[in-house]
Amino acid sequence: MDTPATTQTGHPRRWAILGVLVISLLVVVLDNTVLNVALRTIADPEHGLGATQSQLEWAINSYTLVFAGLLFTAGILADRLGRRVTLITGLVLFGIASLISAYADSASQLIAARALMGLGAAAVMPATLSIIANVFDPRERGRAIGVWAGAVGLGVAIGPIVGGLLLEHFWWGSVFLINVPIVVAGVALVAILVPESRDPKPGRIDFLGVILSIIGLSLLTYGVIKGGEDGFGDTLAWTTLAGSVVVLVGFVLWERRVALPSLDVKLFANKQFSASTGVIGLVFFGAMGAMFFGAFYLQLVRGYGPLASGALFVPFAVAQMVFAPRSAAMVKRFGPKMVSTVGLLLVAVGLAAWLFIGATTPIWIVGAAFFMMGVGMANVMPSATESIMAALPREKAGVGSAVSNTIRQLGGALGVAVLGAILSSVYRDDLGAATDGLSPAAAEAAKESISGAYGVAEQAGAAAPALISGANDAFLSAMHYAAVGSVIFALLGAVVAVLWLPGKRPATAPAPTSAEGLAEEQGVELVEA
């Protein structure tokens, strides 16, 4: 029987609310991965839009650019205007943009619609986590965040499977149209179940800080994307990155002196807060980069179709679903330092497996590598995210969530860009004589990427087998170099966890025994639906 000291004080509908938030989160995360398997169809002039390689990249990057650039601002607005209304607005925008994407008549329309989807997703993502922080008692919050993190991993993994199933039976736009009924259901459930919450003392909006954050994060994201496409020596890439550093330094200096900052940069003096954000960025750098080259390996080198290659991400999803909800109990028993460090080492082991994967490696080894990565991330993400949220008062949950999600998004984008640049550079250097005898234009297309080589091979006649063999060998060599980079960053994350994350926490004082008492202690305004 619970004593007053152990009575849970979260919202009475908190677990139902969590289920609604998971649905809202899944539709955003799933869509960002489901697109990857549709790219080849969208590029087809007959069955798709005839999109060029550059247009396909920007169909992905326009979403990433807007999403990462506005995450922080969306978190601030959610704290001020209300998290439920921000979540509903984001879902509605996302649903409308999905409908436009499904029926786009050109690649340009698709790119624009994807940017609008990024705007909606930027409002959804931080709102879900900040609502969790407000409806759950701190003693249950870690477990709830574990479920939330498991949903992120599930979305990443099942996206390719859903995309493969849809493309086998319907047209390419179905990968976007599927979002609409989910969004409608999500909006209705949020309106019915989720209570409104906001910062009760928001003060004045730091307009200059908001503007600087949007400009700085957008420039940083664009520079990362451009560097991944054209190399970081490209003038536009490095000047954009340099500009982002100048703007973000200006943002930090301004936030240090303004009375009511958008982001209290002094939080980063808190080792728990800064180390947790660093761990999230580093693990996503390594993992998202590996998933990027893993998709090319499965669909081209191994010849798996969209559905079969997507199915190989299932072990990652299973690991997330099984282990992420259990991470809170692990943190309680061993502490964030131990759980995060072991998790990062498991991720590093899973990434290191790619060093030994070749063209004929038994496919179960690939599945095992994904499973190991999933187990590791299932323990890293919840514990690091909980550490970030625990370092902030509840009324600033939106800002904390936005910082966590911005770092994750930028870490993933940077991982794809940097490891993709390594992949492209080594592939081009190692392709060698495989392009001999091709026209200059065909040779250049084959050197651009392994996808380009396969496209050229379809028209190369007798030269096709040698080109395919050479492209596969060059890609595998490049993949191994990229895998080394991903392992290094995962191990760097483990070092950060060991040095700066807190160990096992001592027992805390009893919490208030009512939701009202807890809200009053935390300075939270709860408005029932």
Side-chain angles (χ1 to χ4, degrees):
M1 180 175 178
D2 282 344
T3 65
T6 60
T7 300
Q8 295 298 338
T9 60
H11 194 282
R13 296 196 301 264
R14 59 192 179 277
W15 294 107
I17 291 168
L18 179 61
V20 175
L21 297 178
V22 165
I23 293 172
S24 303
L25 180 67
L26 265 179
V27 70
V28 172
V29 177
L30 185 148
D31 181 79
N32 207 27
T33 56
V34 77
L35 176 62
N36 292 332
V37 299
L39 292 177
R40 296 185 72 177
T41 306
I42 294 172
D44 190 302
E46 183 179 350
H47 299 103
L49 299 175
T52 65
Q53 180 69 24
S54 177
Q55 288 171 329
L56 290 175
E57 290 171 356
W58 276 106
I60 297 173
N61 293 337
S62 62
Y63 177 95
T64 303
L65 182 62
V66 175
F67 184 43
L70 294 179
L71 262 173
F72 179 69
T73 300
I76 294 170
L77 292 176
D79 283 340
R80 185 179 184 88
L81 302 177
R83 287 140 192 158
R84 182 177 67 175
V85 69
T86 302
L87 176 57
I88 290 174
T89 302
L91 284 171
V92 170
L93 283 174
F94 193 85
I96 292 171
S98 296
L99 190 62
I100 296 171
S101 297
Y103 293 100
D105 292 327
S106 68
S108 298
Q109 286 184 17
L110 178 60
I111 291 168
R114 288 282 295 167
L116 182 60
M117 290 176 73
L119 176 60
V124 169
M125 185 74 83
T128 58
L129 187 53
S130 56
I131 290 170
I132 289 172
N134 276 275
V135 301
F136 279 90
D137 181 287
R139 290 164 293 187
E140 288 186 318
R141 187 172 57 198
R143 184 178 165 199
I145 288 176
V147 174
W148 179 90
V152 174
L154 178 64
V156 169
I158 68 173
I161 301 173
V162 172
L165 285 170
L166 290 171
L167 290 171
E168 285 195 357
H169 297 93
F170 305 101
W171 95 113
W172 65 267
S174 62
V175 301
F176 299 111
L177 193 61
I178 190 67
N179 296 334
V180 177
I182 301 174
V183 164
V184 171
V187 168
L189 290 170
V190 169
I192 293 169
L193 291 175
V194 177
E196 186 61 283
S197 64
R198 60 178 67 89
D199 185 346
K201 300 176 182 177
R204 297 189 309 273
I205 294 181
D206 173 21
F207 286 105
L208 181 58
V210 167
I211 292 170
L212 288 174
S213 72
I214 292 173
I215 294 173
L217 290 172
S218 297
L219 287 174
L220 177 60
T221 308
Y222 181 81
V224 167
I225 291 168
K226 194 67 177 173
E229 289 179 351
D230 302 325
F232 289 94
D234 177 75
T235 301
L236 185 56
W238 72 260
T239 54
T240 303
L241 289 171
S244 73
V245 171
V246 172
V247 174
L248 290 174
V249 168
F251 170 75
V252 171
L253 294 175
W254 171 255
E255 296 300 284
R256 285 177 61 88
R257 59 173 293 182
V258 69
L260 297 169
S262 299
L263 173 64
D264 185 358
V265 294
K266 295 175 184 176
L267 284 170
F268 287 95
N270 181 325
K271 290 188 295 184
Q272 174 176 323
F273 184 86
S274 55
S276 298
T277 56
V279 162
I280 287 174
L282 289 166
V283 74
F284 265 81
F285 183 104
M288 292 303 102
M291 288 187 173
F292 172 74
F293 59 68
F296 283 98
Y297 167 80
L298 292 171
Q299 290 198 28
L300 295 173
V301 176
R302 299 303 293 261
Y304 288 105
L307 181 58
S309 61
L312 283 163
F313 287 91
V314 169
F316 182 90
V318 170
Q320 291 280 306
M321 288 188 292
V322 172
F323 290 95
R326 301 171 185 267
S327 64
M330 300 294 289
V331 169
K332 184 176 180 180
R333 182 174 181 181
F334 299 107
K337 182 194 296 286
M338 177 66 74
V339 174
S340 294
T341 301
V342 172
L344 282 156
L345 291 175
L346 289 174
V347 171
V349 170
L351 293 170
W354 286 94
L355 291 168
F356 307 99
I357 291 174
T360 59
T361 300
I363 203 63
W364 69 264
I365 294 179
V366 176
F370 279 129
F371 181 80
M372 188 69 71
M373 289 169 57
V375 173
M377 290 189 72
N379 285 284
V380 174
M381 283 301 299
S383 59
T385 304
E386 162 63 8
S387 293
I388 291 172
M389 303 308 289
L392 294 169
R394 279 188 173 188
E395 66 270 19
K396 299 299 182 184
V399 173
S401 173
V403 170
S404 169
N405 284 295
T406 300
I407 293 297
R408 185 179 69 220
Q409 188 70 16
L410 289 173
L414 193 61
V416 171
V418 173
L419 297 180
I422 293 172
L423 196 73
S424 297
S425 177
V426 176
Y427 168 81
R428 179 181 288 267
D429 290 343
D430 285 7
L431 193 56
T435 58
D436 289 352
L438 298 176
S439 68
E444 184 59 32
K447 289 179 179 179
E448 182 183 344
S449 67
I450 187 173
S451 298
Y454 271 71
V456 170
E458 292 178 359
Q459 311 295 328
L467 177 59
I468 292 296
S469 177
N472 285 346
D473 290 343
F475 177 83
L476 288 170
S477 177
M479 184 180 78
H480 295 155
Y481 276 94
V484 170
S486 65
V487 171
I488 289 172
F489 276 86
L491 291 176
L492 184 58
V495 171
V496 170
V498 167
L499 294 178
W500 292 298
L501 281 183
K504 185 177 179 180
R505 295 185 179 92
T508 57
T513 58
S514 69
E516 291 80 7
L518 184 60
E520 180 179 352
E521 179 186 87
Q522 296 291 344
V524 176
E525 178 187 12
L526 286 176
V527 182
E528 284 293 335

